[in-house]
Amino acid sequence: MSKTRDLSKLLSTLGSNIGSTIIGFMQSGTGAILKPVQDELKDWVKVTQFGASPSASASANYNAFVAATTYAASNGLGIIIPAGNYNLNNNWVISTTGMRIRAEGKVVLNFTNAGNCVSVDGGSSGSYIFDVHFGTESNPIWINGNAASTTGLFWRAAHHGSASAKIWNCVIGHRTQFAVCNDFRITVSNSEAVSNTLVPTTGISCERRGAGEDTADNTWWNPIVEGIKTSTG
């Protein structure tokens, strides 16, 4: 009977809000260290923890993405987007140094708004951000705009980061402004689309933000684009 009570107490503890603090996790590989599961889980937040869902409305998903981004930025965490198609009705802005955004499976972000879809933005003047990583080489994030969408991925005053994305249905696929030393893996093509699309006027646009603030020293790895434009404006 005592063993049964002890087991019941252990299971109750593991199922409580402190359970993850007493279970260890060690990554495979030389030099790996043991950490509580809670520490591993707290390295990332999921947009679904804030109410995002492929079945949710565009406004609900947008609010959830913003809430997840704000929380992650305040706590030094990364963001995971679970697999699915998410509708959003506004420009998703990422404006904090060190942000990491990853897809968990195939993620398609469908934007219904005019203007930009996703913005990695260090500001319009006098500021910049570093080390933002959007998507991964093995799992890019898909961005689907609409006929009113100006830019699929806007990257301004953000340096030493990376982006992996497949973009369609926008006037401009990937617009950079004062972007320095980034690695980009970008596809801008209606051949990637899952529906009828707007063929982009400009696939990639490289611009300056202000005097002496040019886009420079970036690498686009094997870009697949419809339209390339450079501008000093």
Side-chain angles (χ1 to χ4, degrees), residues 118-131:
V118 177
S119 296
V120 175
D121 194 359
S124 59
S125 65
S127 61
Y128 41 81
I129 56 177
F130 289 91
D131 197 33

Side-chain angles (χ1 to χ4, degrees), residues 81-231:
I81 311 172
N85 287 21
Y86 299 82
N87 296 327
L88 293 94
N89 68 347
N90 212 331
N91 175 28
W92 179 26
V93 179
I94 299 147
S95 58
T96 304
T97 287
M99 290 291 291
R100 298 155 292 157
I101 298 92
R102 293 183 183 176
E104 195 174 63
K106 183 177 179 180
V107 168
V108 180
L109 305 181
N110 303 298
F111 289 85
T112 62
N113 57 290
N116 300 330
C117 295
V118 177
S119 296
V120 175
D121 194 359
S124 59
S125 65
S127 61
Y128 41 81
I129 56 177
F130 289 91
D131 197 33
V132 174
H133 300 278
F134 181 84
T136 63
E137 180 180 0
S138 61
N139 197 12
I141 296 173
W142 297 54
I143 299 173
N144 176 22
N146 60 79
S149 294
T150 303
T151 302
L153 177 60
F154 180 49
W155 196 278
R156 178 171 65 181
H159 312 320
H160 298 275
S162 66
S164 295
K166 295 191 175 186
I167 305 165
W168 73 97
N169 219 7
C170 300
V171 177
I172 302 173
H174 183 206
R175 181 185 178 196
T176 61
Q177 195 178 93
F178 188 33
V180 180
C181 294
N182 297 286
D183 286 340
F184 296 124
R185 291 172 171 85
I186 303 294
T187 297
V188 184
S189 170
N190 64 350
S191 297
E192 298 293 331
V194 294
S195 62
N196 293 329
T197 66
L198 169 71
V199 177
T201 303
T202 302
I204 295 174
S205 181
C206 302
E207 308 169 10
R208 67 172 46 157
R209 183 178 71 172
E213 297 180 332
D214 296 301
T215 289
D217 300 322
N218 301 288
T219 301
W220 277 266
W221 296 90
N222 301 318
I224 302 172
V225 298
E226 295 182 8
I228 298 179
K229 177 183 179 181
T230 60
S231 170

Side-chain angles (χ1 to χ4, degrees), residues 21-32:
T21 67
I22 60 178
I23 300 174
F25 173 81
M26 180 182 288
Q27 188 60 265
S28 60
T30 303

